[in-house]
Amino acid sequence: MNRYSIEEFIQQTEQQDKGEGFFELETPRMLEVNLDGLVWAKAGSMVAYHGEMKFVREGILEHGLGTAFKKAFTGEGASLMKANGKGKLYLADSGKKIIILNLQNDAIYINGNDLLAFEPSIKWKIKLMKRIAGMLAGGLFNVRCEGTGMIAFTAHYEPITLRVLPGSPVITDPNATVAWSGNLMPTFQTDITLKTFFGRGSGESIQMKFEGDGFVVIQPFEEVYMKSKQIT
């Protein structure tokens, strides 16, 4: 085989079945869903599929008036679509790294912009981060995923997980915070020293504080989803 030939390129990049089940990492940044039924996915994340599938955007009242209100209030991403059918579905989100978790009666919070896909057996609910509307140039809500089934979420570059231990809180930048364990609920604080150092408009002045016993996942990237509002 000639080096750099089309044949070599196809051989090196061709999709391969790994037999990993419902969710399969085709590459670190491409999720393959072996679909035979229904899956929830982030709207706009479909990059390819083959087989028979129908895609339907989430109905505004499909998960209750409270969820619809929160999404309308925040004006942010976490719009979902349903893919229903049989075949192979490929999902990606801006080239971000994909993490798969198989929940076993577990719960985890995921930043609303980072949730990529989940099985219909997973219960989910939007949680609005209160008291910071207009203060933070970043995500204002997160999604609680709970139950048994597969979920996939994304992170920029290589994420790390920090353990939260009693008496040893973890402080994070909201724009770099991807996920955290379902038993933790962060509080928000303002660091006056950082605010003075970075300037009044700096996102670093708003921090998330995690206390208790659990974990928090962070990424080496500050992802901004919306423009900060002017505070008067």
Side-chain angles (χ1 to χ4, degrees):
M1 184 182 296
N2 293 328
R3 194 177 184 194
Y4 301 126
S5 66
I6 290 177
E7 289 79 10
E8 182 187 48
F9 171 76
I10 292 174
Q11 187 181 68
Q12 291 176 349
T13 62
E14 187 175 12
Q15 179 267 336
Q16 296 180 358
D17 286 320
K18 301 176 183 178
E20 295 178 354
F22 185 64
F23 281 178
E24 183 175 301
L25 279 181
E26 192 63 30
T27 74
R29 292 168 175 79
M30 184 84 69
L31 178 67
E32 178 184 281
V33 183
N34 293 296
L35 190 60
D36 187 5
L38 174 69
V39 68
W40 283 96
K42 184 176 182 178
S45 63
M46 187 277 289
V47 293
Y49 73 92
H50 61 80
E52 296 294 328
M53 296 185 195
K54 290 185 178 181
F55 299 89
V56 180
R57 197 176 185 90
E58 174 194 11
I60 189 168
L61 297 178
E62 188 159 354
H63 289 88
L65 184 61
T67 295
F69 171 76
K70 289 173 184 175
K71 291 174 67 174
F73 177 78
T74 60
E76 295 188 50
S79 294
L80 297 171
M81 64 179 182
K82 289 184 289 188
N84 202 338
K86 186 172 183 178
K88 292 186 180 293
L89 170 64
Y90 298 93
L91 304 175
D93 185 10
S94 302
K96 294 159 68 175
K97 186 177 177 67
I98 298 171
I99 299 96
I100 297 174
L101 293 179
N102 187 2
L103 300 188
Q104 299 293 322
N105 197 27
D106 300 312
I108 186 171
Y109 287 95
I110 300 173
N111 185 292
N113 197 54
D114 296 321
L115 183 60
L116 181 63
F118 55 92
E119 288 192 80
S121 59
I122 297 294
K123 297 179 181 178
W124 65 278
K125 186 175 182 180
I126 290 177
K127 297 286 188 178
L128 183 65
M129 296 181 182
K130 300 177 181 179
R131 300 178 61 188
I132 60 168
M135 297 173 62
L136 183 65
L140 292 177
F141 73 96
N142 53 74
V143 182
R144 179 182 171 88
C145 296
E146 185 174 8
T148 297
M150 306 287 285
I151 67 170
F153 62 96
T154 60
H156 285 277
Y157 308 108
E158 303 298 327
I160 66 168
T161 299
L162 303 176
R163 289 298 305 269
V164 181
L165 300 174
S168 183
V170 172
I171 313 298
T172 68
D173 181 336
N175 293 329
T177 305
V178 176
W180 57 93
S181 50
N183 61 312
L184 300 181
M185 181 54 67
T187 57
F188 290 86
Q189 63 182 29
T190 302
D191 190 310
I192 301 300
T193 303
L194 280 175
K195 192 169 185 177
T196 303
F197 183 76
F198 286 103
R200 290 178 60 87
S202 170
E204 284 84 355
S205 62
I206 306 298
Q207 302 168 343
M208 298 175 77
K209 183 177 182 180
F210 295 88
E211 296 181 282
D213 189 356
F215 64 87
V216 57
V217 182
I218 59 171
Q219 63 185 2
F221 185 91
E222 294 184 60
E223 188 168 15
V224 177
Y225 322 114
M226 58 182 291
K227 294 181 181 179
S228 58
K229 301 176 184 177
Q230 185 67 37
I231 303 174
T232 57

